[in-house]
């Protein structure tokens, strides 16, 4: 059974270790308002609670999934208001999914082009190299 006693406040270094987010990134998230500035000790040390740990873990996971900071800000705002409908969160996720699908298509086209260039390589001198030739042809058409 989980303890109902809140865990003690932790320093920025311990928060960084617990979440895998670097200290400068935590400070940056505070500066841009994704993470609320924590209370400080008399010696000006930041002290973070479990809510900050959960919020930072949320941000980290969203970043790992490729969400940009504006989308994360919107998702956090929705998370802060749990009685709101989740349609906006779904729209954010669908927009990101569309972006990911487009990037995958671009990467697949890149893979096809690189495979074609590599397959056509004669393996001889650079003067006959299809990789170099294809790059020159493509750059001339831009």
């Amino acid at each position: 059974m989980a303890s109902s006693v809140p865990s003690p406040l932790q320093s920025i270094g311990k928060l960084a270790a617990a979440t895998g987010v670097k200290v400068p990134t935590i400070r940056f998230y505070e500066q841009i308002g994704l993470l609320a500035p924590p209370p400080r000790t008399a010696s000006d040390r930041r002290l973070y609670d479990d809510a900050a740990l959960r919020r930072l873990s949320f941000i980290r996971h969203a970043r790992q999934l490729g969400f940009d900071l504006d989308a994360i800000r919107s998702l956090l705002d929705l998370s802060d208001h749990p009685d709101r409908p989740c349609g906006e969160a779904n729209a954010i996720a669908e927009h990101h999914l569309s972006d990911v699908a487009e990037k995958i298509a671009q990467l697949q086209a890149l893979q096809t082009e690189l495979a074609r260039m590599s397959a056509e390589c004669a393996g001889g001198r650079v003067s006959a190299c299809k990789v170099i030739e294809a790059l020159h042809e493509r750059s001339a058409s831009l």
Side-chain angles (χ1 to χ4, degrees):
M1 184 162 96
S3 171
S4 62
V5 177
S7 49
L9 298 175
Q10 55 187 328
S11 68
I12 195 168
K14 288 185 179 178
L15 181 69
T19 60
V21 177
K22 295 180 179 183
V23 169
T25 304
I26 295 170
R27 290 185 183 128
F28 172 71
Y29 290 158
E30 287 175 19
Q31 289 173 351
I32 64 170
L34 290 182
L35 194 60
R40 293 182 181 249
T41 65
S43 62
D44 208 32
R45 285 185 58 218
R46 293 169 164 90
L47 292 177
Y48 297 88
D49 59 12
D50 284 341
L53 178 106
R54 285 190 302 276
R55 190 171 183 95
L56 186 57
S57 294
F58 179 99
I59 294 167
R60 179 176 181 254
H61 188 218
R63 292 296 288 158
Q64 286 174 328
L65 292 174
F67 285 99
D68 65 31
L69 295 176
D70 287 335
I72 293 171
R73 184 180 313 282
S74 296
L75 291 167
L76 285 168
D77 182 57
L78 289 166
S79 180
D80 290 341
H81 301 94
D83 292 334
R84 289 171 51 187
C86 69
E88 188 178 343
N90 193 47
I92 292 167
E94 286 178 356
H95 178 75
H96 185 55
L97 178 60
S98 174
D99 289 347
V100 167
E102 184 178 326
K103 287 176 186 173
I104 289 170
Q106 291 170 349
L107 287 170
Q108 287 173 330
L110 175 63
Q111 180 183 24
T112 300
E113 178 66 9
L114 289 171
R116 183 192 64 77
M117 288 169 39
S118 181
E120 291 178 2
C121 183
R125 297 196 169 274
V126 171
S127 61
C129 179
K130 295 296 182 181
V131 172
I132 301 295
E133 181 181 315
L135 290 171
H136 277 298
E137 287 174 5
R138 178 71 177 138
S139 66
S141 67
L142 295 178

